[in-house]
Amino acid sequence: MHDKSNIYPELKILSPLEQTWASYRRNPLAMAGLWCLGLLLLVTLIGPLVIPYGIDDQHSNHLLLAPSWANSGNIDYFLGTDDLGRDILSRLVAGARLTFGNALLVVLIALVIGSAIGILGGMSKGVKSSVLHHLLDTLLSIPSLLLAIIVVAILGPGLFNTLIAITLALIPPFIRATYNAVHAEMQKEYIIASRLDGSPPQRIMRLAILPNIVETLVTQTTRTLSAAILDISAVGFLGLGAQSPQPEWGAMLADSSDLIYLAPWTVTLPGMAILFSVLVTNLVGEGIREALKEGND
């Protein structure tokens, strides 16, 4: 007979990713934000395929129709119509790809370019590092929205030029955040020991530096995504971005600004869409940041 009193249950050791996910799941606000973000991504991907009406379909018999829950509303136009009789729900859903989808695209591009330059700059020394540091100070002194407007003014109005401008405006913050994080890691003893042992820079970057700057990159990405949504909407609102009849949320706000007293839903609904996307992004980003921080403690 075996003595079972000496048998201990084996404890499962969670991987860093599993620990982060377990910490994230304990945050109800973060989980709510994640579900909402998933819904927003789903709308961005397949929304234009399932909208009830075309974005340019005009229903002349239903101009400025109130949302369906109002006394004068119609369930066939759930969120009402604008001054041209276009279905607002269809335009908002289609506009998610132009505002949120494009914001996600420009942030990913800025993340790749900015983090690559920041890593190279953070691992370098001497004149290169100093020049990059002072150049970033100059660029970051200009707000991203103002920099985007300047670039659009040079390239000309339009959604594509706006995306180029905002991408260029968002790269410097990624460079600075990555540069500072890498530079701080390079001063730590374990990195110095690895370099003294003869580890090549590529190995140090892949195995030592990148895992320790994930929190910085995640925080900067979510913060920048919120800024990108607001920048695209703001440039569209100013008439320099997406042009009518494109249903970009900022452009929809601009087109309906004169109707705020006559038909307030034409203004509040695009504004709520912008607010919702920014809020969800911040909730998810804060949840990931706290989960990563808890996993590192």
Side-chain angles (χ1 to χ4, degrees), residues 82-131:
D82 60 11
D83 55 335
L84 297 178
R86 297 174 297 189
D87 181 55
I88 293 180
L89 174 62
S90 300
R91 291 177 61 79
L92 284 177
V93 171
R97 180 174 294 183
L98 298 178
T99 304
F100 181 77
N102 284 329
L104 191 60
L105 176 63
V106 300
V107 167
L108 290 177
I109 296 174
L111 168 64
V112 172
I113 298 175
S115 59
I117 297 175
I119 289 173
L120 294 177
M123 297 184 68
S124 63
K125 294 182 179 180
V127 177
K128 293 181 181 179
S129 180
S130 178
V131 169

Side-chain angles (χ1 to χ4, degrees), residues 50-181:
V50 298
I51 54 177
Y53 303 100
I55 59 174
D56 296 328
D57 291 351
Q58 299 182 11
H59 306 88
S60 57
N61 295 329
H62 300 286
L63 301 180
L64 295 178
L65 188 66
S68 59
W69 55 83
N71 293 332
S72 59
N74 188 328
I75 192 62
D76 292 334
Y77 306 93
F78 186 71
L79 295 182
T81 61
D82 60 11
D83 55 335
L84 297 178
R86 297 174 297 189
D87 181 55
I88 293 180
L89 174 62
S90 300
R91 291 177 61 79
L92 284 177
V93 171
R97 180 174 294 183
L98 298 178
T99 304
F100 181 77
N102 284 329
L104 191 60
L105 176 63
V106 300
V107 167
L108 290 177
I109 296 174
L111 168 64
V112 172
I113 298 175
S115 59
I117 297 175
I119 289 173
L120 294 177
M123 297 184 68
S124 63
K125 294 182 179 180
V127 177
K128 293 181 181 179
S129 180
S130 178
V131 169
L132 180 62
H133 180 76
H134 292 296
L135 180 61
L136 287 175
D137 286 340
T138 303
L139 292 176
L140 290 173
S141 65
I142 306 174
S144 62
L145 178 58
L146 179 58
L147 186 59
I149 292 175
I150 293 173
V151 176
V152 170
I154 296 173
L155 298 178
L159 182 59
F160 182 73
N161 290 342
T162 296
L163 299 182
I164 295 176
I166 293 177
T167 301
L168 295 176
L170 295 181
I171 289 177
F174 274 111
I175 298 177
R176 165 50 64 86
T178 309
Y179 173 87
N180 289 340

Side-chain angles (χ1 to χ4, degrees), residues 6 8 11-12 94 106 124 161 165 182 190 193 200 204 208 227 242 270 273:
N6 294 327
Y8 296 94
L11 296 177
K12 181 182 178 182
V106 300
S124 63
N161 290 342
V182 172
Y190 76 97
I204 294 176

Side-chain angles (χ1 to χ4, degrees), residues 12-22 295:
K12 181 182 178 182
I13 300 177
L14 299 178
S15 66
L17 182 60
E18 291 174 332
Q19 292 177 6
T20 301
W21 173 239

